[in-house]
Amino acid sequence: MKIAVMGAGGVGGYFGAKLAASGEEVHFIARGAHLEAMRRDGLRVHSANGDVLIKPVKAGNDPAAVGPVDLVLIAVKLWSTGDALRDAKPMVGPGTAVVSFQNGVVAVDDIAKAFGKERTLGGVANIAAVIEKPGVIRHTGTMAILTAGELEGKASARVKAFVDACTKAGIQARSSDDIRKTIWEKYVFLVAASAMTTLTRLPLGAVREDPDTRALTRQIMSEVVAVGKAKGVHLESDMPDKLLERLDTMPREMVASMLGDLERGNRLELPWLSGGVAEMGKDLGIATPANGFVLAALKHYINGRPADARTPKS
C-alpha cells in the first residue's frame, strides 16, 4: 500500500515506521526539527516490541510531492486537524481512503465533511508513545493496537487490505463493525486517563491504587458513558468497571500523552477531552461535574504553560 502519515509523532511515527519496515510505501508529512532529524538520521523507534530504524525515510513537508495515495493516516494533535485535512488534499485521489487515529470523537466527522463519507474510515489507536527527541519515538509498554472500520459497519476490501498490511508488519490490528462505538470506548478510557495522570502528575499505577483517585477516575468515565449513550452510541452501563479492570493490567508507569504535553509546556487536547465531555453534556442536559472540574483545574494550560506559572525548584 502507498500510505501517507500526517503527523509523525508517537502514533504516526510508531505505526508508520512498522509499516515501512515491512515493505509498505510510507510517506511521513512532518515539520521542524523532527523532520530535519528524520531526513538526516532516519526515523528510529524504541520499543519492547522491537526497535525499528527507517533510514532513509520518505519524509517531507510537501504533500503535493507525494501525490495520490491509497490511505491517508491522520495522526496530528486535535487542534491541527483542520490544517492536516487541508494539507492532505493533494494526496487524496478517487480511490483514497482517509482514517484518523487521533484522540477524541469528532475527527471522523471532520474527515467526512472534508472528503465525503465514501472516503472516510473510522480508526482507533491504543498505544503509549511519544517523540523522545527529534527523529526518535519512544514506546512505553507493549500495547500497540489499531482498529479500523467503515462508518456503515460493513466489511470492505480496503479495511481488510489495511488490517492485512498491519498484520504483516507485526502490528496487532483488527476491523470493527461498529467503529463509532469503538471510538467512544477508547474515548471513555482516554478522557479519564488524560484527566487523572495530568491532574496528579502521576502514572496510572498510582492513580488506580489510591481509593480516592480511583473513584474519581470511575466518575469521569461514567459521565462520558452517559454522554455517549445520550448521543445514540451503544455503550454498556458497566463499561467504567470493565475499563478499570483493564487499567489494572496496564504498565504501572503508563501516562497519558496530555501529561507529557503539560510537562513540556505544550498545548493540551483538553478542550476535546474533558472539555468536550462538559460541552456535550451541557448541550444534552447531562451533568458532568467531574469533567467540569478537570476543565476548570487545567484550563489555564490549554495553550501551553502560562507566563505566571511557577517553575518547580530543583
Side-chain angles (χ1 to χ4, degrees), residues 89-197:
K89 287 182 179 180
M91 301 186 297
V92 178
T96 302
V98 184
V99 60
S100 165
F101 287 111
Q102 299 165 276
N103 296 327
V105 293
V106 300
V108 67
D109 295 322
D110 293 337
I111 294 172
K113 183 177 180 180
F115 299 113
K117 288 186 177 180
E118 70 279 4
R119 291 194 181 91
T120 305
L121 298 177
V124 171
N126 289 294
I127 187 172
V130 298
I131 298 176
E132 183 174 70
K133 63 180 182 179
V136 180
I137 305 298
R138 172 69 64 177
H139 175 214
T140 301
T142 59
M143 181 179 67
I145 307 169
L146 291 180
T147 307
E150 298 285 350
L151 299 187
E152 303 304 322
K154 298 179 180 179
S156 70
R158 61 187 183 180
V159 170
K160 183 178 185 303
F162 177 64
V163 170
D164 288 347
C166 289
T167 301
K168 188 183 83 168
I171 297 168
Q172 186 178 349
R174 55 200 177 201
S175 60
S176 170
D177 57 7
D178 190 347
I179 193 63
R180 288 191 183 274
K181 178 182 178 182
T182 306
I183 290 169
W184 270 85
E185 287 174 341
K186 178 191 175 181
Y187 189 57
V188 174
F189 180 84
L190 180 70
V191 168
S194 297
M196 294 306 299
T197 59

Side-chain angles (χ1 to χ4, degrees), residues 285-305:
I286 295 174
T288 58
N291 283 282
F293 162 70
V294 175
L295 176 62
L298 295 173
K299 67 184 297 184
H300 293 286
Y301 293 85
I302 285 174
N303 293 314
R305 185 178 293 113

